[in-house]
Amino acid sequence: MTFAAPASAPTSATAAAPVSATPGVWPRLDRVLMSAGAWMLGLLWIAPLLYAAWTAFHPSAYETRFDLLAPLSLENFPLAWKQAPFARYFLNTVILVTSILSVQLVVGTLAAFAFARLRFAGRGILFGLVLVQMMVMPDILLVENYRTMRMLGLVDTIAAIGLPYMASGFGIFLLRQTFMTIPRELDEAARIEGVSLLGLIWRVYVPLAKPTYLAFGLVSVSAHWNDFIWPLIVTNSVSSRPLTVGLSIFASPDSGVQWSVINAATLMTSAPLLIGFLLFQRQFVQSFMRAGIK
Amino acid sequence: MADLTLDGVRKSFGETPVLQALDLAVPDGGFCVVVGPSGCGKSTLLRLVAGLETADAGRILIGGRDVTRLPPKARSAAMVFQNYALLPHLSVARNIAFGMEIRGTPRADIAARVADTARILRLEAQLDRKPRQLSGGQRQRVAMGRAIVRDPQVFLFDEPLSNLDAQLRAEMRAEIKALHARLGATALYVTHDQIEAMTMGDILVVLNGGRVEQIGPPEEIYRRPASTFVARFIGAPPMNLIPSTTAGSLAAGAPARGETLGIRPEHLKLAPGAGVEATARRIEPHGADTFIQATTAEGVDLTIRLPAGNGVRAGDQLPLLAPPAHLHHFGADGRRIA
Ligand SMILES: Nc1ncnc2c1ncn2[C@@H]1O[C@H](COP(=O)(O)OP(=O)(O)OP(=O)(O)O)[C@@H](O)[C@H]1O
Ligand SMILES: [Mg+2]
């Protein structure tokens, strides 16, 4: 933007130059402040990650000392890997997020289709209940969920971590909204060809909602990969603990492990998500735009 | 073989009746065009035949078989939708093959049928494209391809050409007619386009508010409209309808009958020394013909259709005469009298 911002200076051309200089400054200053603010927020957000990366890749002597010429080192990673059963934690987390996501997708698709396109008694009330699930903070239900898992005899299993999240109100809502935008003509054309109800969902609705599935998948995987409180409460052995809980036990002050090793472990546990996101960044952003999540 | 019969078919949505006791018979291989104003129930009629809606009363027969309660796939009716209804994530070939894939047709058969259809519809070069990479006319042909691979007994078309421009529409009209002649299946074709209505069908059905106003061959309907509604709806520009009391000497020589006189714009004659005087208000050149809007001394508005080069200008006084042979007479209820 130049000084002669025309909108704010509707004076004649000759007289305008000195006069319009003053109002013209404001939009510029505005932009400068805006980008400065954005950068500040960005830096603030990424600082812990940068610190973790710094310490993880340097010997422990540089934990609190910044020196550009400090020698790089990879030895923190094998150290961390050896000191706790991270392989098992990884496996647990992968089993956890994939089972949650796959059940969420199946349940969500069927429920969303029913809410979007079928007519049945109590549809409005049931959908209202689904929306209520989105309003309730999961943390409020910790105690109740724990009691349920105990009743089912599932405490300290991976299933117990996942079960409360498998019917996702958010997923149902999101898919229903997407399904409702699909033209009825497509649905009818397929029905004239003789497609069954499940075939209709599989061949028409699911492929057309692909961006929504991708966006929801990312939200779900990252949420459950990083979930901490509930798994902490419901698990107490290596065989069921996910990465987050394992990492927190590994990093607790009384374990006496060095920061550089802890940070190496932290990077390791979040790396798959980060790498995955960077690889598919473009598709994800497009999906979010199309699915209307921002 | 596969004639289509509707026998007292009724349909309402909630309280509103949409179709009221509809009777219709299309012979095997016939091409029946249904016209009517927006909201008169044309699409509903098609959807009832396709099985996407169920009739409240009456029977629908395809080839003598009662299909009233059968699901869509058991009816042997294929439908071409106004917005094509192609699946955007599938290629042209897979869109055409969609129904066969569902029915579990062997792969080799599918490939052969798709190739055949593509050849008939001149889509061979587009088989691997997605619908969004096609022009409107090509999409329309894919939609027809999906209908003809099924080899149905009845084709249903719901305003299939309304999204195309005028020139393409003319081409596709001819193409659909040619295809129909070649396949010989019975067709039910919904439109609100005058030209399609007049040129495409062997049988024309004029619907109004869920009721049949008239059924017959197009020329017959044009020549002898059964009601003032049909008289105004079929033909462009529409027929002039004049209350008998204000006709004056326009129809001099014809016996006065009924409440309303009708005369088509092309049948009004300039007859110096006879008929009524009317003032030309607007001249609308249409190439070969010119439409003239005129008002008589009685305040009656008339449209006259004259060959181009007639020399009439706005403001001219025109002596207008309606020859008795071309007059239509309608009663107080709007129905034709004799
Ligand atoms: N599913 C439905 N529920 C309620 N009313 C409906 C439904 N489908 C159609 N209608 C009503 O039935 C009437 C006829 O609709 P229809 O679609 O058959 O009209 P149409 O003749 O095809 O009109 P157009 O030329 O605009 O396509 C309309 O008044 C419409 O509002
Ligand atoms: Mg319609």
Side-chain angles (χ1 to χ4, degrees):
Chain A
M1 177 120 338
T2 59
F3 278 85
S8 51
T11 20
S12 77
T14 40
V19 182
S20 67
T22 334
V25 169
W26 288 110
R28 212 162 85 120
L29 192 65
D30 201 37
R31 278 164 60 96
V32 169
L33 283 177
M34 291 269 270
S35 25
W39 274 98
M40 285 265 290
L41 278 178
L43 281 176
L44 216 61
W45 179 85
I46 206 163
L49 197 67
L50 288 178
Y51 173 69
W54 166 264
T55 48
F57 286 106
H58 291 96
S60 54
Y62 293 89
E63 267 171 15
T64 52
R65 203 148 57 79
F66 182 73
D67 183 350
L68 256 187
L69 298 175
L72 286 172
S73 139
L74 287 175
E75 66 192 13
N76 293 322
F77 291 92
L79 262 176
W81 189 260
K82 261 183 288 172
Q83 285 178 29
F86 277 112
R88 181 67 211 216
Y89 295 159
F90 257 111
L91 181 68
N92 292 345
T93 292
V94 168
I95 293 174
L96 175 69
V97 296
T98 47
S99 60
I100 291 182
L101 182 63
S102 31
V103 178
Q104 276 179 338
L105 291 183
V106 174
V107 171
T109 301
L110 295 177
F113 178 81
F115 284 128
R117 287 291 146 94
L118 301 182
R119 269 185 221 159
F120 52 91
R123 180 168 85 153
I125 296 171
L126 282 175
F127 188 64
L129 286 176
V130 168
L131 293 183
V132 166
Q133 196 212 64
M134 287 167 61
M135 319 279 166
V136 176
M137 277 250 302
D139 293 357
I140 296 175
L141 300 172
L142 285 179
V143 175
E144 197 51 44
N145 281 344
Y146 190 86
R147 214 176 297 169
T148 311
M149 291 309 146
R150 250 246 303 273
M151 224 172 61
L152 295 173
L154 288 175
V155 170
D156 198 23
T157 60
I158 296 177
I161 315 176
L163 218 45
Y165 298 102
M166 289 196 168
S168 159
F170 179 58
I172 294 173
F173 173 74
L174 209 60
L175 285 170
R176 170 187 178 261
Q177 298 309 102
T178 309
F179 287 171
M180 290 200 343
T181 64
I182 291 173
R184 268 194 188 271
E185 273 195 353
L186 291 183
D187 177 318
E188 292 173 343
R191 278 198 285 144
I192 288 183
E193 296 291 342
V195 80
S196 64
L197 200 61
L198 285 178
L200 181 67
I201 297 174
W202 180 245
R203 287 166 183 273
V204 177
Y205 283 85
V206 171
L208 291 178
K210 221 170 89 187
T212 305
Y213 281 104
L214 207 62
F216 175 70
L218 179 72
V219 170
S220 166
V221 166
S222 67
H224 295 291
W225 190 284
N226 294 324
D227 194 17
F228 175 63
I229 300 277
W230 170 243
L232 176 70
I233 291 172
V234 85
T235 62
N236 43 38
S237 63
V238 169
S239 62
S240 60
R241 225 172 254 154
L243 274 174
T244 42
V245 178
L247 183 66
S248 83
I249 290 172
F250 177 66
S252 61
D254 42 295
S255 67
V257 184
Q258 287 162 327
W259 268 113
S260 51
V261 180
I262 292 175
N263 281 334
T266 309
L267 276 194
M268 238 159 43
T269 56
S270 43
L273 274 194
L274 278 176
I275 293 170
F277 183 76
L278 291 178
L279 280 181
F280 294 106
Q281 193 179 18
R282 180 119 56 88
Q283 281 99 310
F284 281 138
V285 172
Q286 276 171 2
S287 293
F288 278 113
M289 304 288 247
R290 270 189 259 170
I293 317 175
K294 272 159 212 135
Chain B
M1 267 256 302
D3 51 330
L4 170 67
T5 310
L6 275 74
D7 182 11
V9 170
R10 283 168 197 279
K11 179 72 187 173
S12 350
F13 290 111
E15 295 293 288
T16 26
V18 175
L19 290 180
Q20 312 176 24
L22 195 113
D23 294 316
L24 176 64
V26 187
D28 177 32
F31 198 112
C32 174
V33 176
V34 180
V35 280
S38 187
C40 71
K42 305 183 295 291
S43 298
T44 307
L45 170 61
L46 279 194
R47 296 164 55 82
L48 282 167
V49 176
L52 294 170
E53 306 278 358
T54 317
D56 298 337
R59 295 191 312 151
I60 299 169
L61 300 129
I62 295 176
R65 193 167 59 108
D66 189 339
V67 298
T68 321
R69 305 278 146 200
L70 294 186
K73 66 173 171 184
R75 294 191 177 203
S76 189
M79 186 147 162
V80 177
F81 292 84
Q82 178 171 3
N83 297 310
Y84 320 130
L86 302 177
L87 291 168
H89 61 288
L90 298 182
S91 65
V92 168
R94 299 247 353 247
N95 261 293
I96 294 177
F98 187 77
M100 291 187 286
E101 283 180 16
I102 288 170
R103 290 185 293 274
T105 310
R107 231 162 238 270
D109 288 8
I110 294 184
R113 298 276 292 278
V114 169
D116 255 8
T117 311
R119 195 171 35 74
I120 296 174
L121 294 170
R122 291 180 286 114
L123 284 168
E124 288 128 312
Q126 282 81 33
L127 278 178
D128 294 324
R129 294 213 203 147
K130 294 280 168 64
R132 77 183 115 80
Q133 297 165 310
L134 301 178
S135 71
Q138 288 167 337
R139 279 179 214 180
Q140 188 56 64
R141 289 210 292 270
V142 178
M144 285 200 294
R146 187 172 56 187
I148 65 179
V149 282
R150 284 189 64 182
D151 199 10
Q153 292 183 304
V154 176
F155 277 109
L156 306 170
F157 296 90
D158 194 355
E159 308 197 20
L161 307 185
S162 58
N163 287 338
L164 305 179
D165 63 47
Q167 192 181 348
L168 200 52
R169 217 181 287 176
E171 276 172 37
M172 291 300 291
R173 270 204 312 270
E175 219 162 290
I176 292 180
K177 278 302 283 178
L179 204 60
H180 174 251
R182 172 179 183 153
L183 299 172
T186 312
L188 191 58
Y189 185 106
V190 160
T191 180
H192 58 239
D193 181 300
Q194 282 284 324
I195 307 173
E196 286 171 34
M198 289 303 294
T199 58
M200 296 187 74
D202 330 318
I203 312 169
L204 185 55
V205 178
V206 185
L207 271 190
N208 181 24
R211 265 181 224 282
V212 173
E213 286 275 337
Q214 191 172 3
I215 299 185
E219 322 79 73
E220 162 80 14
I221 289 183
Y222 188 79
R223 231 163 18 84
R224 291 176 60 82
S227 66
T228 49
F229 176 83
V230 179
R232 297 277 308 172
F233 198 79
I234 299 293
M239 183 186 284
N240 294 300
L241 293 178
I242 308 140
S244 302
T245 48
T246 57
S249 51
L250 180 70
R257 272 187 300 172
E259 291 282 307
T260 311
L261 279 180
I263 178 84
R264 293 221 177 261
E266 60 268 37
H267 292 148
L268 277 173
K269 284 215 154 48
L270 296 184
V276 292
E277 288 285 310
T279 314
R281 284 183 296 105
R282 233 165 73 77
I283 314 286
E284 227 179 79
H286 278 252
D289 287 337
T290 305
F291 301 169
I292 298 161
Q293 311 281 342
T295 311
T296 66
E298 311 256 3
V300 177
D301 290 326
L302 296 170
T303 307
I304 308 122
R305 179 176 191 155
L306 293 176
N310 48 58
V312 177
R313 292 159 188 257
D316 284 0
Q317 288 292 311
L318 306 174
L320 292 178
L321 185 70
H326 290 300
L327 276 178
H328 304 262
H329 301 272
F330 301 98
D333 57 354
R335 307 298 300 178
R336 183 182 196 88
I337 302 174

